[in-house]
């Protein structure tokens, strides 16, 4: 079966694509509070949801992410956060998004996977019929849970044949070596699933080497520390492996200390395929629009470079060639229109 995505109706096509975005990281503080009102707040959590949205370190961010998932207890909760996400993406001009979801966190609490997926798919279809984005799901494994968690992801994907785009791996990069997951990534590809991996975010270039050479990942989540290794850069360039860079996320988790230190401009200069994404938009108080603004305002890229990154986001997605062409055409039209408006305003 083809792992390519379903066609986008022309009327919903917009000019942006997001390829690194976690469903659980899109839950706003207001939604979190509302979910607590329905099923009660886990007593281990703070009474003020806002405190889960500021992170002093990467480990603390991972802890907050896990704590927020405790508010998800019913398939309806998943439907609600999917609806919220679709509406936000629509406002951001997003035509399609490849969204991470970590089902094992919830199946281990007794919520059946197919009930969750049905609720999420129904919500996404409802919003898409109203001009929202096309969503596709990537099941994300929690690295520190070891291969057992990833096996459960593959079982979930097998249960929902044709409804899951791929698998990924996230969490603590230093916890379990890539070799432990190699056979499972291979098995996923045999099932027709696409494979991606978080690497080179918190851990160094070695982690990216392993994601490519041991796991066979087609795209790298973050990968920013590749900038430290010229041989790795040459390999990424030669094999045309895209990086899913999430600039604000890197600042908020403390992986990068200041905007001035962010390696994105160096990666662009090195000829690496760069895309820009939000990662966990609510947890990092960002949006795709903000990320594109940051390219020029914070990272000093010119308009042409920012446009190339937007285009790369479409090309690096797992959409079908015809869907890519349709969105790229819209990027071209949107860009030439805004340039025209800019010229008229100046004159
Ligand atoms: Zn991520």
């Amino acid at each position: 079966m083809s792992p390519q995505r379903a066609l986008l109706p022309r009327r919903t096509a917009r000019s942006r694509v997001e390829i690194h975005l976690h469903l659980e990281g899109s839950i706003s503080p207001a939604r979190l509070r509302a979910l607590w009102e329905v099923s009660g707040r886990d007593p281990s959590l703070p009474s003020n949801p806002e405190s889960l949205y500021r992170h002093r370190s990467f480990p603390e961010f991972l802890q907050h992410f896990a704590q927020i998932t405790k508010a998800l207890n019913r398939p309806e909760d998943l439907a609600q956060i999917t609806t919220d996400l679709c509406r936000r993406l629509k406002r951001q001009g997003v035509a399609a998004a490849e969204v991470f979801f970590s089902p094992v966190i919830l199946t281990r609490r007794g919520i059946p996977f197919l009930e969750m997926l049905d609720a999420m798919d129904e919500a996404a279809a409802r919003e898409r019929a109203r001009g929202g984005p096309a969503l596709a799901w990537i099941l994300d494994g929690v690295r520190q849970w070891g291969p057992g968690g990833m096996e459960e992801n593959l079982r979930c994907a097998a249960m929902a044949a044709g409804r899951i785009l791929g698998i990924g791996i996230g969490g603590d990069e230093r916890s379990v070596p890539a070799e432990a997951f190699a056979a499972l990534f291979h098995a996923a590809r045999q099932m027709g699933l696409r494979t991606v991996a978080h690497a080179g975010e918190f851990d160094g270039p070695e982690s990216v080497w392993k994601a490519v050479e041991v796991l066979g990942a087609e795209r790298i989540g973050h990968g920013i520390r590749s900038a430290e290794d010229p041989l790795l850069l040459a390999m990424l360039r030669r094999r045309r492996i895209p990086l899913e860079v999430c600039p604000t996320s890197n600042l908020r988790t403390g992986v990068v200390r200041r905007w001035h230190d962010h390696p994105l401009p160096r990666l662009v200069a090195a000829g690496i395929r760069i895309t820009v994404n939000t990662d966990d938009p609510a947890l990092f108080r960002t949006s795709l629009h903000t990320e594109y603004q940051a390219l020029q305002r914070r990272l000093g890229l010119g308009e042409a470079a920012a446009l190339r990154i937007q285009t790369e986001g479409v090309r690096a997605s797992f959409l079908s060639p015809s869907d890519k062409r349709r969105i790229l055409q819209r990027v071209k039209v949107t860009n030439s229109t805004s340039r025209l408006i800019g010229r008229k305003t100046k004159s």
Side-chain angles (χ1 to χ4, degrees):
M1 182 183 41
S2 166
Q4 283 173 352
R5 307 266 305 277
L7 287 174
L8 297 163
R10 185 177 292 273
R11 69 177 186 285
T12 66
R14 299 290 182 269
S15 61
R16 288 171 175 164
V17 168
E18 170 127 55
I19 58 174
H20 189 119
L21 164 64
H22 298 260
L23 177 66
E24 302 90 334
S26 72
I27 304 171
S28 69
R31 178 60 63 202
L32 184 62
R33 197 183 284 279
L35 290 171
W36 284 352
E37 276 167 19
V38 174
S39 50
R41 174 173 54 87
D42 184 291
S44 67
L45 299 179
S47 56
N48 175 16
E50 292 283 350
S51 60
L52 295 172
Y53 290 75
R54 296 195 184 269
H55 331 287
R56 283 166 299 187
S57 65
F58 190 73
E60 189 176 68
F61 152 70
L62 289 179
Q63 198 186 1
H64 287 165
F65 185 97
Q67 287 174 318
I68 286 171
T69 63
K70 290 183 179 174
L72 301 170
N73 294 297
R74 308 165 306 157
E76 313 75 296
D77 299 340
L78 277 302
Q80 185 63 67
I81 64 170
T82 301
T83 301
D84 291 348
L85 175 63
C86 288
R87 291 180 182 172
R88 253 194 316 272
L89 291 174
K90 184 182 170 188
R91 287 197 294 274
Q92 301 286 312
V94 173
E98 294 170 359
V99 183
F100 289 117
F101 168 55
S102 300
V104 177
I105 294 174
L106 303 177
T107 54
R108 287 187 178 182
R109 298 216 317 264
I111 313 175
F113 173 68
L114 283 180
E115 286 182 27
M116 289 191 276
L117 186 65
D118 285 347
M120 289 154 56
D121 276 346
E122 277 165 29
R126 211 169 28 245
E127 293 308 309
R128 191 172 162 187
R130 294 173 182 159
L135 296 197
W137 306 113
I138 299 178
L139 303 186
D140 202 30
V142 182
R143 187 185 278 254
Q144 57 270 30
W145 287 7
M150 188 60 81
E151 273 170 35
E152 286 181 55
N153 270 348
L154 292 194
R155 273 198 294 276
C156 288
M159 249 190 272
R163 296 169 66 188
I164 301 297
L165 177 64
I167 60 153
I169 186 164
D172 182 354
E173 272 181 76
R174 292 178 180 168
S175 56
V176 180
E179 285 78 358
F181 302 94
L184 292 163
F185 268 65
H186 179 73
R189 282 187 290 277
Q190 300 289 100
M191 291 165 64
L193 297 168
R194 312 304 295 252
T195 53
V196 297
H198 286 66
E201 176 189 14
F202 183 68
D203 208 1
E206 187 59 24
S207 166
V208 180
W209 278 108
K210 288 197 167 184
V212 175
E213 297 199 324
V214 176
L215 298 178
E218 297 173 73
R219 295 191 310 233
I220 301 298
H222 298 278
I224 52 171
R225 293 197 55 193
S226 307
E228 299 166 23
D229 181 347
L231 283 179
L232 176 58
L233 288 176
M235 183 273 278
L236 293 173
R237 198 168 43 232
R238 192 173 63 249
R239 293 174 64 165
R240 300 190 40 71
I241 294 176
L243 302 186
E244 305 155 0
V245 181
C246 309
T248 300
S249 159
N250 300 144
L251 272 289
R252 298 272 194 252
T253 58
V255 169
V256 174
R257 276 191 41 218
R258 299 171 305 165
W259 281 102
H260 180 73
D261 300 328
H262 201 288
L264 186 145
R266 279 182 282 143
L267 292 164
V268 169
I272 306 300
R273 297 181 68 191
I274 299 297
T275 69
V276 161
N277 307 276
T278 59
D279 204 2
D280 299 290
L283 272 162
F284 300 135
R285 307 183 301 286
T286 189
S287 69
L288 198 55
H289 188 66
T290 307
E291 298 300 322
Y292 277 110
Q293 280 185 328
L295 287 177
Q296 291 179 270
R297 293 183 183 169
R298 304 278 202 170
L299 296 168
L301 262 57
E303 198 181 328
L307 182 64
R308 269 199 304 279
I309 288 175
Q310 186 179 348
T311 303
E312 199 61 80
V314 182
R315 293 208 170 105
S317 74
F318 297 133
L319 285 162
S320 70
S322 60
D323 281 347
K324 287 183 187 181
R325 272 196 302 277
R326 193 173 300 162
I327 300 173
L328 288 171
Q329 182 59 27
R330 194 168 271 272
V331 174
K332 223 159 82 181
V333 171
T334 310
N335 185 55
S336 52
T337 310
S338 63
R339 268 213 295 253
L340 201 65
I341 292 167
R343 268 207 298 276
K344 278 184 179 164
T345 314
K346 277 178 213 154
S347 61

